[in-house]
Amino acid sequence: MRVVARINVAAIERNVALLQDRVGRGTAVCAVVKADGYGHGAVPAARAAVSGGATWLAVVTAGEATALRRGGIDARLLVLGPLDDEDLSEALDARAEVVVWDDEGVDRLLRAGRPADVHVKLDSGMGRLGQRDPAVALGLCDRIATTAPLRLSGAMTHFATADDPDDELFPLQLSRFTAWGEDVRRRHPGVVLHAANSAATLREPAAHFDLVRPGIAVYGMDPMNRDPDDHGLEPALEWIARLSSVKPLEPGESVGYGRRYVADRPTRIGTVQAGYADGVRRAPVDPGEVLVGGRRVPIAGRVSMDSIGVDLGPDAAEAPGATVVLVGRDGDERITAEDVARRLGTINYEVTCAIGPRVPREHHRDGVPVPASGQDDARS
Ligand SMILES: *Cc1c(COP(=O)(O)O)cnc(C)c1O
């Protein structure tokens, strides 16, 4: 093993069960598994989310929908992103529900000429996809509901600042969507109203409606980029490498490209086979730390494409083969995706999404390996 991402599917199950518990019986959970399940592997993440109680899944692209169906996932599936004719036909082949926000979107569906379950998206303040004018959005609902072979399935919005308790856009978006949702519901009683991402799910019961769409929390990460423990969430992913060599360094000798790390004392330097091609970011001036033998040790010098150096210290006893934790626990120490994100000036989402395709994903259930196909269990 060179470097690996180990994903505990039982943690995903527990996180989804916790979210379901938070929202109560009247609200369904749609687990967002876009971007290969935020780097955790879309099919195993989807399967675990369904075991944990999710009855819907969401992705962004038609290709992601196809991949889930090929993986044997049977749940209700929503494609959130915009779709051209070709993508739309792929999404419908995958029995996915789709989102529209203008007449062109409805026209495209009619051109496809096939039955489709459609959600109308209101832009209540995010300022990207969605229909800004609630009256126009209501008209779209009416048009879809009365135009065979289309069916009006849902009415939705997306929050821009649910992760920021001090921002006043969130309550404004919520009140706009609530008012519009009431109008939609009056005319189309069966429609599923949904708005909440992870932050809104955890923070605001009034945002739960019929369905919540958590992503980051499903994987046990904190939507506020603080400590997942605060919400009882359990990080599902560990990112592990190994020492491939250990050797002494004398004062004045350097490590890596550009001599960015020069020893000021005799020390021992470990080389770890994980670099920026694997998702260890090179940009920051302070490259940060990893865990070795339950100790925090600094990354020494520039991150290379395939490797990093770590300063193990003069008294280090570790030999090649020792475990190096990039994200996860080792003894009493832990490095969370949130810790890495803060150092990089980004968010936890980007940390796990950036773990490269060269890093194998190994799935386990509380330590018991789950076969790659994973078809043995949870195919309820
Ligand atoms: C990604 C996404 C979500 C999930 O957001 P999290 O912050 O990860 O919970 C929900 N809804 C839409 C439309 C999204 O694109």
Side-chain angles (χ1 to χ4, degrees), residues 42-325:
V43 169
R47 198 174 282 129
V50 169
S51 297
T55 47
W56 294 61
L57 299 166
V59 292
V60 162
T61 71
E64 291 175 329
T66 304
L68 289 181
R69 293 304 190 217
R70 290 211 175 117
I73 304 294
D74 224 22
R76 268 181 100 165
L77 182 55
L78 177 60
V79 175
L80 297 164
L83 302 167
D84 63 19
D85 290 297
E86 197 182 335
D87 293 338
L88 178 60
S89 130
E90 178 173 357
L92 296 177
D93 284 345
R95 291 175 288 115
E97 308 191 17
V98 297
V99 184
V100 300
W101 42 83
D102 53 21
D103 276 308
E104 289 71 43
V106 182
D107 293 343
R108 188 174 297 119
L109 278 161
L110 292 173
R111 269 203 306 279
R114 301 159 58 176
D117 291 298
V118 187
H119 298 239
V120 172
K121 182 169 190 174
L122 179 73
D123 175 10
S124 58
M126 177 64 115
R128 300 188 311 198
L129 303 178
Q131 175 52 244
R132 255 289 154 90
D133 184 337
V136 172
L138 196 57
L140 288 171
C141 291
D142 294 344
R143 184 176 172 210
I144 293 160
T146 55
T147 309
L150 306 183
R151 291 183 294 261
L152 180 66
S153 175
M156 64 180 285
T157 195
H158 191 41
F159 295 118
T161 59
D163 57 331
D164 179 359
D166 299 326
D167 192 277
E168 65 266 21
L169 182 59
F170 175 70
L172 184 62
Q173 284 196 273
L174 182 55
S175 71
R176 284 177 182 154
F177 180 72
T178 304
W180 179 70
E182 278 165 12
D183 289 343
V184 173
R185 183 87 107 213
R186 214 169 290 125
R187 295 151 81 133
H188 309 287
V191 164
V192 175
L193 298 182
H194 54 107
N197 55 6
S198 297
T201 301
L202 291 168
R203 126 175 204 214
E204 181 50 80
H208 292 168
F209 300 98
D210 303 313
L211 182 74
V212 292
R213 303 188 310 265
I216 195 83
V218 164
Y219 308 98
M221 292 185 280
D222 178 8
M224 285 82 173
N225 209 42
R226 292 197 293 260
D227 189 339
D229 267 358
D230 296 350
H231 309 284
L233 296 168
E234 190 183 336
L237 180 142
E238 295 171 296
W239 191 11
I240 309 286
R242 294 211 185 283
L243 288 179
S244 43
S245 96
V246 179
K247 58 189 173 199
L249 206 69
E250 293 303 322
E253 293 180 325
S254 65
V255 180
Y257 289 116
R259 303 198 68 205
R260 294 295 284 262
Y261 192 85
V262 181
D264 57 6
R265 68 199 192 307
T267 189
R268 294 178 72 73
I269 292 291
T271 301
V272 181
Q273 295 303 304
Y276 58 76
D278 303 290
V280 181
R281 289 266 300 277
R282 179 184 182 277
V285 175
D286 168 15
E289 295 172 321
V290 299
L291 305 179
V292 179
R295 295 176 293 134
R296 309 182 82 90
V297 303
I299 295 175
R302 278 294 195 196
V303 172
S304 307
M305 185 183 288
D306 311 307
S307 66
I308 53 177
V310 296
D311 186 347
L312 298 169
D315 306 320
E318 283 82 17
T323 298
V324 177
V325 177

Side-chain angles (χ1 to χ4, degrees), residues 284-371:
V285 175
D286 168 15
E289 295 172 321
V290 299
L291 305 179
V292 179
R295 295 176 293 134
R296 309 182 82 90
V297 303
I299 295 175
R302 278 294 195 196
V303 172
S304 307
M305 185 183 288
D306 311 307
S307 66
I308 53 177
V310 296
D311 186 347
L312 298 169
D315 306 320
E318 283 82 17
T323 298
V324 177
V325 177
L326 304 170
V327 170
R329 280 182 188 282
D330 190 356
D332 293 335
E333 291 287 354
R334 76 175 174 156
I335 294 176
T336 61
E338 289 78 5
D339 295 331
V340 175
R342 270 190 296 276
R343 182 168 52 71
L344 295 171
T346 185
I347 49 176
N348 43 9
Y349 298 70
E350 196 182 353
V351 173
T352 61
C353 283
I355 297 176
R358 192 164 79 173
V359 178
R361 269 61 170 179
E362 286 177 10
H363 296 88
H364 64 94
R365 173 174 284 103
D366 287 334
V368 179
V370 173

